[in-house]
Amino acid sequence: MREMVYLGKVESLKLGNRSRGSPLPHRPGESNSTTFKLRRRAPSSPLHHYLLSQTLSLSLNPNPPQIPNQHLLSHPRQIPIHPSPLPNPTPRATFSTRASAAASTTPSTTFHGLCYVVGDNIDTDQIIPAEYLTLVPSNPSEYEKLGSYALCGLPASYSTRFVDPNETKSKYSIVIGGANFGCGSSREHAPVALGAAGVAAVVAESYARIFFRNSVATGEVYPLESETRICEECRTGDVVSIELSESRLINHTTGKEYVLKPIGDAGPVISAGGIFAYAREAGMIPTLSG
């Protein structure tokens, strides 16, 4: 197995010191399939939440046709990738969880509390301004302080503060937003700040991809998508419940119910407490012993 480091999607592979277009050597007794272990380099961030090794099996012809001025693997779509389904580790019991009658490890979780409603295009600088990114979430006191600044970057048109002065936790455990929630920079502090403030889930019409991914990787909040614009029918302070297994939101103040899109395979990762906790529970990486 040969190990390489890649950033983002695979654009090309450097095979030793061989020039472009040169064939792979085929040693006696070797199969025609070479396995490479591609280790993704984490972004320069204090959290480093995505450091996981990923293995791709690349079936390479030992005698490929010679194509002038073209790399052996110049198009990532030519790489045959066959992902296996995610295993389901034991979910983390952090909220109200009811045992399922069926033999399933999918949590039947309910979130209940007051909602805080925002509009479209809430960016990460509004969720947690850049001046607070020096706080290190792995430090418990700084993690708590990070929560006190959650959504403090919202414009003055939001008259109700998400976190009251001199408090570190918000009384709003569910955030309801519009389209493109979490756009802007790729800071992982955004979902971490919400989780530190006591938010269990965010329900939005759509998300910026990087915020959705950071929410899953950190395991701080459930990023749930709504089928309709719930943000136009709910008001800050409404009492709501989310039935995760049934993919629905109930507004007890208005008596209305709304269909949510299923969280899918991201659910067990978030329930485990993030991508590292999930990988340890699933046996993908060893568990550190005291």
Side-chain angles (χ1 to χ4, degrees), residues 21-43:
S22 60
L24 280 174
H26 182 56
R27 301 182 182 90
E30 288 187 342
S31 66
N32 292 344
S33 178
T34 302
T35 299
F36 291 89
K37 185 179 182 182
L38 278 67
R39 189 178 71 254
R40 178 169 188 166
R41 194 177 74 186

Side-chain angles (χ1 to χ4, degrees), residues 92-236:
R92 180 184 59 173
T94 52
F95 300 97
S96 173
T97 303
R98 300 187 302 273
S100 175
S104 172
T105 56
T106 302
S108 178
T109 306
T110 299
F111 305 121
H112 180 82
L114 302 178
C115 70
Y116 189 86
V117 181
V118 295
D120 297 330
N121 302 311
I122 299 300
D123 61 45
T124 52
D125 202 51
Q126 294 173 327
I127 298 173
I128 183 69
E131 60 191 286
Y132 304 117
L133 299 185
T134 55
L135 296 172
V136 181
S138 58
N139 183 319
S141 62
E142 295 191 15
Y143 175 84
E144 188 178 56
K145 193 173 183 180
L146 192 65
S148 68
Y149 297 120
L151 289 174
C152 71
L154 290 173
S157 58
Y158 290 87
S159 57
T160 302
R161 294 190 58 167
F162 180 67
V163 181
D164 291 332
N166 303 319
E167 297 290 338
T168 58
K169 297 290 185 181
S170 173
K171 61 183 178 182
Y172 306 102
S173 59
I174 296 171
V175 174
I176 296 178
N180 201 29
F181 187 93
C183 57
S185 73
S186 61
R187 64 191 70 167
E188 301 99 324
H189 289 72
V192 172
L194 293 175
V199 175
V202 178
V203 179
E205 185 181 5
S206 64
Y207 291 92
R209 180 183 58 84
I210 191 64
F211 178 87
F212 186 95
R213 179 174 177 176
N214 285 341
S215 297
V216 176
T218 60
E220 290 286 344
V221 296
Y222 281 83
L224 304 172
E225 291 185 87
S226 59
E227 295 282 357
T228 58
R229 284 182 62 80
I230 301 179
C231 63
E232 294 182 350
E233 300 189 25
C234 295
R235 296 291 180 267
T236 294

Side-chain angles (χ1 to χ4, degrees), residues 43-63:
S44 56
S45 160
L47 298 183
H48 298 291
H49 276 294
Y50 322 134
L51 276 176
L52 279 183
S53 297
Q54 303 178 34
T55 302
L56 302 177
S57 293
L58 311 181
S59 298
L60 304 177
N61 186 347
N63 297 299

